Amino acid sequence: MEVAEHGLQIAGRSVPASSGATIDLHDPATNRPIARVASGTREDVSAAVEAARTAFDSKGWRGLDPSKRGRLLWLLGQQIRDRFDELARLESLNVGKPLREARGDIAYVYKLFEYYAGLADKIQGETIPVPGERLDYTLREPLGVTAHIAPWNYPLLLASRGIAPALAAGNTVVLKPATLTPLTSIRLAGLAVAAGFPSGVLNVVMGSGKDVGEALAAHPDVDSVTFTGSTETGKQLLRTVADRVVPTTLELGGKNPQIVLADARRDRALRGVLAGAFQNAGQMCWAGSKVLVHEDLAPTFLAALQEQMVSMRLGPGLREDVQMGPLVSKDHVARVMSAIEEGRASGGRLLAGGGRPEDPNLRDGNFVLPTLFEDLSAESRVAREEIFGPVLCSWTFRDLDDAIERANDTPYGLAAGIWTQDISKAHTIARSLQAGMVSINEFPITFPQTPFLGWKQSGLGQEQGMDAVLFYTHAKNVLVNLE
Ligand code: ADP
């Protein structure tokens, strides 16, 4: 089958890799080829960084009237709105996620660009009172060339989350999308050109993490690194950037608890727990992959959960009625299946799933059944570590303090959910959870304007919200003696 070919996006042009190398991408639902993309080299990384540096130095971006820069970001948002359906289909095809979810992702992307478009002319310093005849003020200046290394689970959304504030602050960008899911990022670069961005402001280099990702993070002319991915790779990346001491944000893994109290509105909590665990087939760092249910509610809650899980419709994301798509790749299926086996071996009771679907229509795709474990030992790897697949671990509790202790018993601290009608109790629990984001009676949800951040090994720094834009600026203090 003929598939479309896509080049690297450097200085406003589509170019082949300097080595001529390409990689084939496959539909996760069938493993048939869907596209061929250039696979860059270290030389290509250097060319992209140089293009971004030239665009930064030319002042045609950072020197623009900030409201005009904001206007261009807004126009990029508009380009995305105009191609909403095409982009959602592309994301669904490349990742395997249900179209309904991909539409949510693309809507989030244009809202990110619109939110940061509005901030472009509101990045300002302050005047600080100091003793004597002196004036003290701060400036906020763009960093320069910002590098963005994105994962495959929410490709365009998680890339745009860093790119939009970086651009708003006047930086120029090099993006490395995940090897498996570059299609919407490649499209974004073309849309930026169509929106009127100067060439070299937004560059995209595809390729492997080991070569292209590492070369980008290590490049001497890159001024910051924004990484979203696994905790293990994040730690490695931090070692790479340590040599150059550049600002770095890491958004890493999670093992995110959802606590369901006895007085929770059962059906609402059920919907949230299901969405939290199985949205994007559980392939998300903020997946609510452990649920703690009060013992009074547990029998009916877990039975309803089980019932909904076994009747969940699996299939290719592009089919409208599908509730859960395939995992991103065969390799990832192998990783998730081995975790499930490990959970079984460590004594966890399986309440649902635990294998691959028998439906012959799904045989060629990367499908794994939504899986529910009960009472895994707290030490089991599946209970503690991120599995990044459709695997939910459940426990019941009598005493709320025990539930909170179990919720916090993980190396991560990204998100947590609380389900109760007792709102003052909910706020008290929120204070004792070790997580960067807590949701009450809603999960999993976040907005461009609310902080996205992890505690413990879930990350470093903050994305989204107004503060994210500050990360992409240097503060400079200017002290003047007026005498
Ligand atoms: P996953 O591929 O499971 O999402 P990773 O953390 O391995 O998680 O990958 C996230 C992003 O980091 C991807 O774009 C990947 O190619 C890139 N990457 C992987 N290894 C490295 C590395 N050593 N240095 C820089 N980037 C890397």
Side-chain angles (χ1 to χ4, degrees):
M1 193 176 97
E2 278 294 300
V3 294
E5 295 203 24
H6 304 278
L8 311 172
Q9 307 291 308
I10 301 179
R13 293 175 46 233
S14 178
V15 294
S18 55
S19 65
T22 57
I23 73 154
D24 288 340
L25 306 179
H26 298 92
D27 175 353
T30 59
N31 281 303
R32 286 192 206 115
I34 51 171
R36 177 164 296 164
V37 299
S39 182
T41 59
R42 286 170 185 265
E43 289 69 42
D44 296 322
V45 169
S46 289
V49 173
E50 203 181 306
R53 174 61 59 191
T54 304
F56 185 74
D57 288 345
S58 77
K59 301 202 169 70
W61 184 247
R62 72 165 148 154
L64 267 186
D65 165 355
S67 70
K68 286 201 175 131
R69 205 163 54 232
R71 172 101 183 116
L72 284 168
L73 281 167
W74 184 272
L75 290 173
L76 177 54
Q78 189 60 50
Q79 291 281 338
I80 297 164
R81 279 182 185 266
D82 291 347
R83 285 155 192 82
F84 177 71
D85 198 54
E86 174 207 329
L87 286 164
R89 286 180 177 277
L90 198 55
E91 200 77 305
S92 169
L93 176 67
N94 199 178
V95 185
K97 62 175 67 195
L99 196 50
R100 180 179 34 83
E101 293 183 18
R103 288 190 180 114
D105 293 5
I106 302 303
Y108 204 102
V109 170
Y110 63 66
K111 285 178 196 160
L112 274 165
F113 282 105
E114 289 167 358
Y115 177 73
Y116 287 106
L119 271 184
D121 59 359
K122 296 165 194 74
I123 302 168
Q124 54 200 33
E126 47 194 1
T127 319
I128 301 164
V130 287
E133 286 304 305
R134 297 183 182 90
L135 166 67
D136 191 283
Y137 64 94
T138 59
L139 297 171
R140 285 275 171 189
E141 297 174 0
L143 299 175
V145 176
T146 62
H148 303 257
I149 300 177
W152 46 258
N153 55 343
Y154 289 78
L156 193 60
L157 191 166
L158 296 180
S160 303
R161 192 173 68 177
I163 290 174
L167 291 174
N171 299 280
T172 55
V173 161
V174 179
L175 164 66
K176 192 208 91 65
T179 320
L180 295 174
T181 59
L183 294 179
T184 47
S185 298
I186 295 169
R187 198 75 182 91
L188 182 73
L191 295 179
V193 173
F197 279 51
S199 72
V201 167
L202 172 53
N203 307 277
V204 181
V205 185
M206 295 84 83
S208 77
K210 267 245 98 334
D211 294 326
V212 170
E214 206 165 304
L216 182 57
H219 198 288
D221 210 20
V222 156
D223 296 300
S224 72
V225 180
T226 299
F227 171 84
T228 305
S230 62
T231 296
E232 200 184 325
T233 308
K235 286 179 186 175
Q236 205 174 326
L237 186 111
L238 205 48
R239 287 184 205 109
T240 305
V241 291
D243 273 347
R244 295 188 306 109
V245 197
V246 293
T248 303
T249 56
L250 302 176
E251 202 263 281
L252 308 175
K255 190 77 183 178
N256 311 294
Q258 300 223 53
I259 305 178
V260 186
L261 273 59
D263 70 343
R265 281 163 61 184
R266 198 197 71 167
D267 288 349
R268 188 166 157 180
L270 199 58
R271 275 200 302 280
V273 168
L274 279 164
F278 303 116
Q279 180 176 305
N280 207 24
Q283 303 168 113
M284 45 178 184
C285 49
W286 63 102
S289 53
K290 51 195 255 193
V291 61
L292 309 157
V293 190
H294 189 274
E295 63 178 12
D296 290 349
L297 189 66
T300 59
F301 189 85
L302 292 178
L305 191 59
Q306 209 175 6
E307 194 185 313
Q308 300 243 3
M309 285 174 63
V310 295
S311 64
M312 213 177 257
R313 278 187 305 282
L314 271 57
L318 284 172
R319 234 179 52 201
E320 287 283 356
D321 63 335
V322 156
Q323 291 173 298
M324 197 176 91
L327 304 193
V328 76
S329 67
K330 282 186 184 170
D331 287 350
H332 195 49
V333 170
R335 281 194 290 271
V336 170
M337 287 307 298
S338 102
I340 292 175
E341 286 315 315
E342 212 178 306
R344 230 198 268 257
S346 71
R349 265 196 309 285
L350 261 181
L351 295 187
R356 310 204 43 201
E358 281 166 13
D359 181 347
N361 295 320
L362 304 181
R363 203 180 31 220
D364 293 335
N366 310 323
F367 294 93
V368 172
L369 291 170
T371 296
L372 179 60
F373 276 110
E374 186 181 43
D375 288 340
L376 272 174
S377 99
E379 285 72 44
S380 140
R381 187 177 75 93
V382 181
R384 301 180 64 75
E385 290 292 328
E386 178 174 61
I387 305 304
F388 225 66
V391 180
L392 175 61
C393 304
S394 71
W395 293 270
T396 55
F397 67 89
R398 178 198 293 270
D399 181 67
L400 186 56
D401 290 338
D402 291 345
I404 292 170
E405 199 180 314
R406 194 180 282 273
N408 288 335
D409 183 18
T410 150
Y412 304 106
L414 190 59
I418 303 166
W419 300 89
T420 176
Q421 296 189 68
D422 182 339
I423 212 69
S424 68
K425 195 182 268 179
H427 286 293
T428 310
I429 300 171
R431 287 182 185 204
S432 41
L433 289 172
Q434 296 164 359
M437 297 174 284
V438 176
S439 325
I440 297 168
N441 294 330
E442 186 147 43
F443 196 95
I445 194 156
T446 169
F447 297 94
Q449 58 270 44
T450 60
F452 195 109
L453 74 161
W455 290 16
K456 301 198 278 190
Q457 293 192 26
S458 286
L460 207 59
Q462 176 191 313
E463 303 226 50
Q464 301 187 160
M466 290 207 245
D467 288 354
V469 96
L470 299 181
F471 169 79
Y472 295 101
T473 66
H474 282 304
K476 183 181 282 171
N477 192 75
V478 181
L479 176 70
V480 190
N481 188 322
L482 299 170
E483 283 177 330

